[in-house]
DNA sequence: CTTAACGTTCTG
DNA sequence: CAGAACGTTAAG
C-alpha cells in the first residue's frame, strides 16, 4: 500500500488525461449523479441534503496544513486536484445542514434561534433523520407517542420517530454527513458496528440535542462513572478468565463493588468537607439517584485537594482562605463556567452527557437518548469529542475507556499501581466485550501477559521464549469514530469565569501549581469540572510523561488525548497499537519548537505497528524503546534507520530519522552485526544501548560498536549485554577503547567470567576506576 | 461565476 | 477493503 502510494505521488504532477485513463478508465456513463443517487441499500425517502462545514469548530477555523494527503492533492499545493477533499486537519467536527435546508412539513428553516427557551429549541430546530433522510422540525411531526432517537454524533441528526417506531433503527447509525469514516486515509474514525445487545435501558431519556444550549454543570454522570476508578481500593489483578464475568457486571450495573470502595474511603474525609458537602446537597434537589454519587465525586475532589494541601508550601494561598477558595470553586465555577457548549462550535455542542440523565418531560415529540451498554457510552464519549470544542473526552480517555494515563514517577506506591492495574483491566473489559462479540474469543485472553515483563525479570533462563507481542487489535476494537483535535488554538483563559460574569481571583498559573500536585487520574477528574479546568488540566506541562503501557486496547479516544496533551515521553509498550494509529500519532506530535516527542517506548508492540516509524520523521526523538518487538530484525532495523519515506518532494530529508537518538533499547531482538553497523553509523549521539537478550550479539558486535572511527566508540556511556550468551570475556577488551563508558551490564552472560570482569577493573583502574556493582555488572566508580 | 469539498462509486 | 476519483452540491 505504501508503495503504491509513493508511486502515485511521483506521478502527481503529470496530471494528464492519458494517465487518468490509464489509471482509471473514464466511466462510460455520462454525467451520472453519483453524489446524489442513493445506493440501493438506502431506505426510502428524500434525497439527502449534503452537509456542509459548520465554519465554527476548531477544525473549520484552522488553516490547511499543506502536508496531508488531501492538501498535497490540491492544486494550490501543486497537486492534481483530483481528490477534492478537505485538509485532514480541517475536517469539520460537526458538519451542519446547509442553510437552504427546510422542514419537509412546513417548508421553513430551523427556528431554534428565535427562542430563548432551551427546552423548546429542540422542537424548532431542523432534524435530519439518519434513516429516511427527512428533515423536519420535531414540532411539525404529528406523531404523538413515538420518540425520536437523537444522534449525538452529528448536529441536527436523529432517527425520526417514524423510523424509530418502525424499528428501522440501527442500520444507518452513522447518519449523514459523516465522512469521517474509515474511507479517510489518515482518519482514525471507524465505522461503528451496531451494538447487538441493547441491554436495557430502563430510562428512556430525552436528550437535548440542542447545540445552542448550554449544559449546566451536571457532574453526576461523569463523576458517577468515574468514581469507581478513583477508588484506590486494593484490588488484586484477577485472572483473565475471571475478568469477563466480573466486568460484565461492572458494566451492567453502575453500582459496582468499586463504588463501595469509594464510599468507604470518603468516611475518613475531613470535617470541613462534609460541611461543605452539605451545602452542595442543598443546591441540588433534583437527580435523586445521582445526588449521592455526585456528592461523593466532589467530596473526592476535595479529599484530593485536602490531602495534598501539605504540598502547597510554595503557594501564597496556602492557608485557610485558600482552602475556602478552593472549595468555593467547586460551587461557583461549574455553574457559570461550564456553560460551555458554544465554545468554538456552537452547532456542535456537546452531546451533553451531562444532562442526558436529566428527565425533562412535557415537550411534544420526545427525543430519547437510548442508554446503551459500554459501546454506546463509548460512542457517546466519542461523539462528545466530535461535537465539543473543549470537551471532556480526555477524561473519558481515562474513565470511559477505563484506561488511565499515568505518570511513571508518580506511580511509586504499590496501591497506586494496583489501582492502575485495575483500571487497565477495566479498560480491557471493553475490548473483551467487543472481541467477544466479533470473534468469539476475547482478544485479551489470547494475549495475556504476566504483569511484569522486563528483560531480567522475564524468564531469565530462556530469553528466547519471549511473550508474544500483541497483535493488531481486531477491527472491532478500533471501531470508534472519533475526530482528533490538536490542542485548542486560543490560549486558555487566565482566570476562571464565574457565573456573575466576573472572574475568579486566582490566576491560572496558581491553579497550575495545584494541578501540578495531582496525579493524572485526579487531573482527569478535574477536567470534568468545567471548560476552563478542562483546558488548564490538559496543559502539556502536566503531562510530560504519558504511560499507556500494557493497555491492551489503544482507542482513538486515547490517541486524541495524547495529542491534546503533547507529551514529551510516551510509553505504549505492550499495547496493541496499530501502524496507522502510531503513524498518526507521530505525525501529530510535532517535531518542532521544543514540543516534540523525546521518548517513545514501544516495547512488545508488533513490528507492523513499529514500522510506522519508517515513514515518519522524528528527528527529535532521544529515547527509542523497541525491545521485544516481534519481527524486528536486521531488515526492519534498516528500514527504521533509513531516511523517512514520507517526505514531500523537495523536502526530502536524507538523514537518518533517528539520528538524534541517545538511548536505544533493543532487548530481545534477533538483530545481528548488520544492524549494529548501521546503528554505529547513523546514531552519532547514541549513549545508552540495550542489547540484552539479543542472541546474535557476540564479541564481534562489540568490536563493531567500539571500532576506531565509529561515533559510538566515544558516545556510548552505557551498554546492556545481559543474557547475551554469545558475548565472551573478549568483549571486555573492546570496551577498554570506549572513552566514555560508564556501565557495562554483562549479567547472565554465560561466557563472561567474573575473573575477566575483575581483570577489566584492574586494568582500567589506571585511567577510570570501575567497580562490580553486581556480578558482571561493571560500573564506573563515581 | 468560482471555489471547496461531500458523498458516492470505482479500482486494485 | 482502503484509497482514489469525480460528479455534484453548497457557499460566496
Amino acid at each position: 500500500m505504501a508503495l503504491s502510494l509513493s508511486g502515485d505521488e511521483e506521478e502527481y504532477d503529470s496530471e494528464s488525461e492519458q494517465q487518468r485513463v490509464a489509471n482509471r478508465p473514464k466511466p462510460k456513463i455520462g454525467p451520472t449523479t453519483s453524489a446524489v443517487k442513493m445506493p440501493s441499500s438506502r431506505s426510502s425517502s428524500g434525497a439527502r441534503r449534503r452537509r456542509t462545514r459548520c465554519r465554527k469548530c476548531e477544525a473549520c477555523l484552522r488553516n490547511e496544513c499543506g502536508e496531508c494527503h488531501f492538501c498535497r492533492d490540491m492544486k494550490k499545493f501543486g497537486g492534481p486536484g483530483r481528490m477534492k477533499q478537505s485538509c485532514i486537519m480541517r475536517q469539520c467536527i460537526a458538519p451542519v445542514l446547509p442553510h437552504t435546508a427546510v422542514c419537509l412539513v412546513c417548508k421553513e428553516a430551523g427556528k431554534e434561534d428565535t427562542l430563548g427557551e432551551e427546552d423548546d429549541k429542540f422542537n424548532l430546530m431542523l432534524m435530519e433523520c439518519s434513516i429516511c433522510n427527512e428533515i423536519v422540525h420535531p414540532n411539525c411531526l404529528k406523531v404523538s407517542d413515538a420518540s425520536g432517537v437523537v444522534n449525538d454524533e452529528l448536529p441536527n441528526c436523529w432517527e425520526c420517530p417514524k423510523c424509530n417506531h418502525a424499528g428501522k433503527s440501527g442500520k444507518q447509525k452513522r447518519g449523514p454527513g459523516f465522512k469521517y469514516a474509515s474511507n479517510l486515509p489518515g482518519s482514525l474514525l471507524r465505522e461503528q458496528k451496531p451494538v447487538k445487545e441493547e441491554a436495557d435501558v430502563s430510562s428512556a431519556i430525552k436528550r437535548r440535542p440542542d447545540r445552542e444550549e448550554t449544559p449546566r454543570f451536571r457532574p453526576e454522570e461523569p463523576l458517577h462513572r468515574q468514581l469507581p476508578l478513583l477508588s484506590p481500593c486494593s484490588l488484586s489483578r484477577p485472572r483473565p478468565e475471571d475478568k469477563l464475568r466480573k466486568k460484565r457486571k461492572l458494566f451492567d450495573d453502575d453500582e459496582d463493588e468499586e463504588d463501595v470502595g469509594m464510599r468507604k474511603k470518603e468516611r475518613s474525609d475531613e470535617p470541613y468537607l462534609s460541611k461543605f458537602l452539605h451545602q452542595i446537597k442543598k443546591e441540588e434537589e433534583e437527580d435523586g439517584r445521582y445526588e449521592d454519587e455526585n456528592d461523593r465525586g466532589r467530596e473526592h475532589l476535595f479529599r484530593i485537594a485536602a490531602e495534598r494541601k501539605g504540598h502547597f508550601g510554595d503557594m501564597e494561598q496556602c492557608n485557610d482562605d485558600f482552602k475556602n477558595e478552593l472549595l468555593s470553586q467547586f460551587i461557583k465555577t461549574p455553574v457559570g463556567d461550564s456553560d460551555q457548549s458554544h465554545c468554538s462550535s456552537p452547532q456542535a455542542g456537546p452531546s451533553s452527557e451531562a444532562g442526558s440523565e436529566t428527565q425533562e418531560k412535557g415537550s411534544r415529540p420526545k427525543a430519547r437518548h437510548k442508554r446503551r451498554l459500554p459501546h454506546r457510552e463509548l460512542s457517546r464519549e466519542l461523539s462528545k469529542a466530535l461535537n465539543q470544542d473543549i470537551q471532556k473526552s480526555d477524561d473519558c480517555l481515562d474513565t470511559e475507556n477505563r484506561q488511565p494515563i499515568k505518570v511513571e514517577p508518580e506511580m511509586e506506591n504499590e496501591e497506586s499501581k494496583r489501582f492502575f492495574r485495575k483500571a487497565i483491566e477495566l479498560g480491557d473489559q471493553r475490548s473483551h466485550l467487543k472481541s467477544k462479540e466479533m470473534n468469539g474469543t476475547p482478544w485479551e485472553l489470547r494475549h495475556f501477559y504476566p504483569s511484569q515483563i522486563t528483560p531480567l525479570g522475564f524468564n531469565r533462563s530462556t530469553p528466547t521464549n519471549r511473550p508474544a507481542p500483541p497483535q493488531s487489535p481486531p477491527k472491532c476494537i478500533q471501531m470508534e469514530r472519533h475526530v482528533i483535535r490538536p490542542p485548542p488554538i486560543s490560549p486558555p483563559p487566565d482566570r476562571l469565569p464565574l457565573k456573575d460574569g466576573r472572574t475568579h481571583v486566582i490566576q491560572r498559573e496558581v491553579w497550575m501549581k495545584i494541578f501540578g500536585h495531582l496525579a493524572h487520574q485526579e487531573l482527569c477528574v478535574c477536567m470534568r469540572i468545567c471548560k476552563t479546568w478542562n483546558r488548564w488540566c490538559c496543559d502539556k506541562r502536566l503531562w510530560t510523561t504519558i504511560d499507556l503501557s500494557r493497555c491492551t486496547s489503544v482507542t482513538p479516544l486515547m490517541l486524541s488525548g495524547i495529542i491534546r496533551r503533547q507529551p514529551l515521553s510516551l510509553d505504549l509498550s505492550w499495547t496493541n497499537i496499530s501502524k496507522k494509529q502510531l503513524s498518526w500519532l507521530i505525525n501529530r506530535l510535532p517535531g518542532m519548537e521544543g514540543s516534540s516527542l523525546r521518548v517513545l517506548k514501544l516495547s512488545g508492540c508488533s513490528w507492523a505497528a513499529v514500522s510506522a516509524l519508517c515513514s515518519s520523521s522524528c528527528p527529535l526523538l532521544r529515547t527509542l524503546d523497541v525491545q521485544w518487538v516481534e519481527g524486528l530484525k536486521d531488515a526492519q532495523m534498516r528500514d527504521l534507520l533509513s531516511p523517512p519515506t514520507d517526505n514531500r518532494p523537495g523536502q526530502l530529508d536524507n538523514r537518518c530519522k533517528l539520528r538524534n537518538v541517545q538511548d536505544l533499547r533493543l532487548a530481545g531482538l534477533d538483530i545481528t552485526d548488520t544492524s549494529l553497523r548501521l546503528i554505529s553509523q547513523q546514531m552519532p549521539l547514541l549513549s545508552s544501548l540495550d542489547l540484552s537478550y539479543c542472541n546474535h550479539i557476540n564479541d564481534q558486535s562489540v568490536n563493531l560498536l567500539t571500532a576506531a572511527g565509529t561515533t559510538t566508540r566515544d558516545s556510548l556511556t552505557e551498554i546492556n549485554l545481559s543474557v547475551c550468551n554469545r558475548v565472551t570475556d573478549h568483549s571486555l577488551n573492546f570496551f577498554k577503547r570506549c572513552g566514555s563508558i560508564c556501565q557495562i551490564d554483562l549479567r547472565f552472560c554465560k561466557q563472561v567470567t567474573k575473573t575477566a570482569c575483575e581483570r577489566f577493573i584492574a586494568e582500567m583502574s589506571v585511567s577510570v576506576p570501575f567497580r562490580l556493582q553486581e556480578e558482571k555488572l561493571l560500573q564506573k566508580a563515581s
Side-chain angles (χ1 to χ4, degrees):
Chain A
M1 193 57 71
L3 284 175
S4 71
L5 242 179
S6 50
D8 243 1
E9 276 155 23
E10 279 169 18
E11 296 167 341
Y12 261 179
D13 290 331
S14 55
E15 137 84 273
S16 66
E17 201 49 28
Q18 342 130 269
Q19 187 202 323
R20 196 174 64 91
V21 169
N23 287 345
R24 181 186 172 185
K26 189 121 183 148
K28 341 71 217 170
I29 24 173
T32 56
T33 50
S34 72
V36 179
K37 90 176 166 203
M38 296 300 158
S40 48
S41 65
R42 178 166 290 284
S43 41
S44 76
S45 287
R48 182 205 283 184
R49 295 305 302 261
R50 180 190 285 200
R51 284 182 177 245
T52 184
R53 285 189 171 285
C54 70
R55 306 154 71 85
K56 289 165 187 160
C57 72
E58 201 175 309
C60 285
L61 294 174
R62 214 170 277 146
N63 289 326
E64 271 143 348
C65 70
E67 291 172 5
C68 71
H69 200 60
F70 297 138
C71 279
R72 282 186 290 183
D73 166 77
M74 294 174 192
K75 286 239 164 75
K76 68 170 119 174
F77 292 114
R82 279 194 292 253
M83 299 173 82
K84 297 189 255 183
Q85 300 296 307
S86 137
C87 166
I88 283 188
M89 302 303 284
R90 292 192 67 237
Q91 284 166 358
C92 177
I93 284 164
V96 296
L97 291 171
H99 298 150
T100 51
V102 290
C103 172
L104 195 74
V105 181
C106 69
K107 315 289 178 202
E108 288 183 48
K111 295 177 283 193
E112 65 269 27
D113 292 338
T114 61
L115 263 186
E117 290 282 323
E118 295 296 334
D119 291 348
D120 294 333
K121 277 192 175 183
F122 169 76
N123 287 320
L124 291 180
M125 68 198 292
L126 287 175
M127 294 300 289
E128 179 190 32
C129 175
S130 55
I131 296 166
C132 68
N133 302 320
E134 285 181 7
I135 299 172
V136 292
H137 296 118
N139 240 0
C140 293
L141 291 178
K142 299 287 172 259
V143 207
S144 56
D145 195 34
S147 50
V149 179
V150 173
N151 182 346
D152 291 342
E153 302 175 3
L154 206 58
N156 307 72
C157 181
W158 70 344
E159 289 168 14
C160 69
K162 230 187 331 182
C163 293
N164 187 40
H165 200 66
K168 288 185 189 170
S169 65
K171 291 284 175 277
Q172 301 251 346
K173 270 282 167 283
R174 187 165 79 117
F178 230 108
K179 65 177 264 175
Y180 308 96
S182 48
N183 63 332
L184 270 189
S187 169
L188 288 177
L189 302 168
R190 291 291 183 281
E191 193 81 31
Q192 196 169 12
K193 289 279 184 282
V195 180
K196 280 183 203 139
E197 72 243 79
E198 184 111 328
D200 156 282
V201 215
S202 36
S203 49
I205 294 146
K206 180 198 177 211
R207 255 208 21 86
R208 308 202 300 173
D210 188 339
R211 308 296 163 184
E212 240 56 43
E213 99 175 320
T214 54
R216 265 158 291 148
F217 176 62
R218 294 206 183 102
E220 44 280 312
E221 196 189 354
L223 286 176
H224 160 67
R225 287 207 300 259
Q226 184 138 10
L227 284 176
L229 270 182
L230 286 170
S231 123
C233 55
S234 56
L235 289 151
S236 55
R237 188 186 180 98
R239 308 176 63 83
E241 311 84 61
D242 299 345
K243 284 197 289 185
L244 253 183
R245 182 182 46 76
K246 182 167 176 194
K247 279 155 190 174
R248 169 69 71 175
K249 179 179 183 296
L250 289 185
F251 282 119
D252 287 345
D253 183 0
D254 284 334
E255 292 280 313
D256 53 62
E257 47 250 85
E258 285 169 287
D259 233 7
V260 177
M262 188 61 220
R263 253 174 228 132
K264 274 185 210 149
K265 196 107 192 115
E266 72 209 37
R267 291 205 186 99
S268 60
D269 285 344
E270 303 174 23
Y272 73 86
L273 291 179
S274 10
K275 193 172 140 200
F276 173 68
L277 288 166
H278 182 69
Q279 202 177 332
I280 295 179
K281 271 212 166 98
K282 283 185 182 164
E283 285 180 68
E284 300 172 6
E285 305 109 317
E286 35 165 9
D287 295 336
R289 181 179 167 206
Y290 290 105
E291 189 177 53
D292 195 46
E293 286 150 311
N294 180 16
D295 285 355
R296 273 186 278 138
R298 295 195 194 191
E299 193 164 350
H300 183 74
L301 285 174
F302 302 138
R303 189 174 53 78
I304 292 168
E307 276 170 3
R308 279 155 208 272
K309 65 183 187 291
H311 301 297
F312 297 159
D314 52 337
M315 291 182 48
E316 303 145 7
Q317 288 88 347
C318 187
N319 51 28
D320 281 345
D321 285 344
F322 169 65
K323 199 158 66 187
N324 292 335
E325 283 293 355
L326 186 65
L327 294 179
S328 64
Q329 207 51 61
F330 288 92
I331 314 177
K332 287 184 193 168
T333 51
V335 187
D337 189 47
S338 63
D339 244 4
Q340 52 163 303
S341 72
H342 47 92
C343 346
S344 64
S345 62
Q347 301 283 338
S351 336
S352 58
E353 162 186 288
S356 61
E357 299 296 341
T358 318
Q359 307 286 333
E360 276 169 76
K361 308 195 166 91
S363 6
R364 244 218 310 149
K366 283 180 209 138
R368 182 172 42 138
H369 185 193
K370 288 185 185 167
R371 203 183 151 91
R372 298 173 194 187
L373 276 192
H375 309 72
R376 184 59 197 158
E377 286 186 32
L378 188 60
S379 156
R380 274 203 307 187
E381 292 305 329
L382 293 171
S383 67
K384 275 198 308 189
L386 282 168
N387 294 330
Q388 247 174 303
D389 179 20
I390 308 296
Q391 36 63 51
K392 301 161 189 157
S393 72
D394 301 280
D395 349 358
C396 314
L397 188 150
D398 309 308
T399 58
E400 276 305 283
N401 286 339
R402 308 293 209 274
Q403 284 159 339
I405 291 182
K406 52 193 178 187
V407 204
E408 274 165 319
E410 292 173 12
M411 284 298 103
E412 305 295 346
N413 78 59
E414 254 338 280
E415 190 170 78
S416 310
K417 281 181 184 164
R418 276 201 304 272
F419 159 58
F420 272 116
R421 183 70 52 211
K422 178 68 187 170
I424 285 168
E425 285 161 16
L426 286 167
D428 292 355
Q429 171 61 10
R430 238 173 244 288
S431 28
H432 257 307
L433 298 175
K434 288 181 184 169
S435 20
K436 190 163 174 259
E437 272 174 3
M438 299 297 289
N439 307 332
T441 318
W443 185 79
E444 290 79 1
L445 294 188
R446 286 182 276 125
H447 302 277
F448 180 71
Y449 307 114
S451 57
Q452 286 299 323
I453 302 170
T454 57
L456 282 175
F458 168 70
N459 208 353
R460 253 171 219 206
S461 52
T462 54
T464 47
N465 193 13
R466 75 169 107 187
Q471 305 300 305
S472 263
K475 292 278 179 194
C476 53
I477 287 180
Q478 302 180 17
M479 290 305 168
E480 297 84 5
R481 203 178 313 134
H482 191 40
V483 167
I484 316 296
R485 292 150 296 96
I489 299 164
S490 56
D494 190 47
R495 288 173 194 267
L496 211 46
L498 298 177
K499 190 185 180 184
D500 54 12
R502 291 179 305 139
T503 56
H504 193 275
V505 61
I506 301 184
Q507 283 182 304
R508 176 180 174 223
E509 282 312 307
V510 178
W511 284 110
M512 290 303 290
K513 284 189 181 176
I514 302 173
F515 294 140
H517 290 282
L518 301 182
H520 281 178
Q521 81 274 22
E522 293 160 346
L523 283 175
C524 290
V525 178
C526 294
M527 290 179 71
R528 290 197 171 246
I529 300 299
C530 64
K531 181 175 90 178
T532 304
W533 274 35
N534 182 285
R535 295 189 64 180
W536 287 351
C537 290
C538 223
D539 191 296
K540 65 183 180 187
R541 288 172 288 174
L542 301 170
W543 299 88
T544 50
T545 298
I546 293 181
D547 181 356
L548 288 170
S549 58
R550 292 170 215 282
C551 281
T552 34
S553 171
V554 175
T555 64
L557 200 52
M558 295 161 87
L559 299 182
S560 76
I562 295 170
I563 297 303
R564 208 178 152 198
R565 290 166 172 85
Q566 294 284 306
L568 296 177
S569 170
L570 180 57
D571 190 348
L572 293 164
S573 302
W574 306 99
T575 61
N576 63 352
I577 191 163
S578 69
K579 177 175 183 173
K580 200 166 180 178
Q581 289 178 315
L582 184 57
S583 161
W584 187 93
L585 260 184
I586 294 169
N587 288 324
R588 282 162 182 77
L589 293 169
M592 50 194 164
E593 292 154 27
S595 64
S596 87
L597 195 59
R598 302 301 170 99
V599 179
L600 181 58
K601 298 182 184 176
L602 297 169
S603 61
C605 294
S606 64
W607 164 251
V610 174
S611 65
L613 291 174
C614 297
S615 51
S616 337
S617 188
C618 21
L620 293 176
L621 208 57
R622 297 286 187 271
T623 298
L624 179 62
D625 182 346
V626 287
Q627 306 177 76
W628 306 97
V629 166
E630 191 175 291
L632 176 40
K633 299 179 181 174
D634 286 337
Q636 289 74 23
M637 193 59 81
R638 190 192 58 226
D639 292 344
L640 264 185
L641 293 176
S642 55
T645 56
D646 194 26
N647 276 307
R648 277 183 289 166
Q651 290 199 350
L652 227 92
D653 188 351
N654 282 320
R655 292 169 301 176
C656 167
K657 296 180 284 282
L658 304 171
R659 60 184 174 278
N660 287 318
V661 166
Q662 297 166 359
D663 183 353
L664 185 60
R665 304 179 198 173
L666 304 173
L669 299 183
D670 289 332
I671 51 168
T672 71
D673 293 353
T674 314
S675 292
L676 290 186
R677 202 171 286 119
L678 276 175
I679 289 168
S680 68
Q681 288 164 0
Q682 307 274 9
M683 294 185 171
L685 304 177
L686 189 63
S687 163
S688 175
L689 181 59
D690 185 350
L691 292 169
S692 56
Y693 290 102
C694 291
N695 283 320
H696 299 292
I697 299 302
N698 53 31
D699 294 336
Q700 177 54 26
S701 321
V702 179
N703 186 17
L704 264 176
L705 287 171
T706 59
T710 58
T711 47
T712 38
R713 177 181 187 151
D714 294 315
S715 63
L716 271 182
T717 60
E718 235 178 85
I719 188 157
N720 188 348
L721 294 169
S722 57
V723 212
C724 290
N725 291 321
R726 294 194 188 185
V727 171
T728 75
D729 288 347
H730 196 54
S731 282
L732 282 168
N733 291 324
F734 295 131
F735 283 123
K736 291 177 191 164
R737 312 191 284 212
C738 292
S740 321
I741 197 82
C742 295
Q743 175 163 314
I744 307 167
D745 190 344
L746 294 166
R747 287 175 295 171
F748 309 99
C749 291
K750 288 177 188 161
Q751 300 199 57
V752 175
T753 63
K754 198 179 173 186
T755 331
C757 294
E758 281 159 355
R759 194 169 59 237
F760 175 86
I761 291 175
E763 289 174 22
M764 289 295 283
S765 63
V766 195
S767 49
V768 192
F770 267 83
R771 61 187 166 133
L772 268 180
Q773 184 70 23
E774 227 180 89
E775 187 172 305
K776 302 182 202 173
L777 174 58
L778 297 151
Q779 255 180 7
K780 190 174 169 182
S782 48

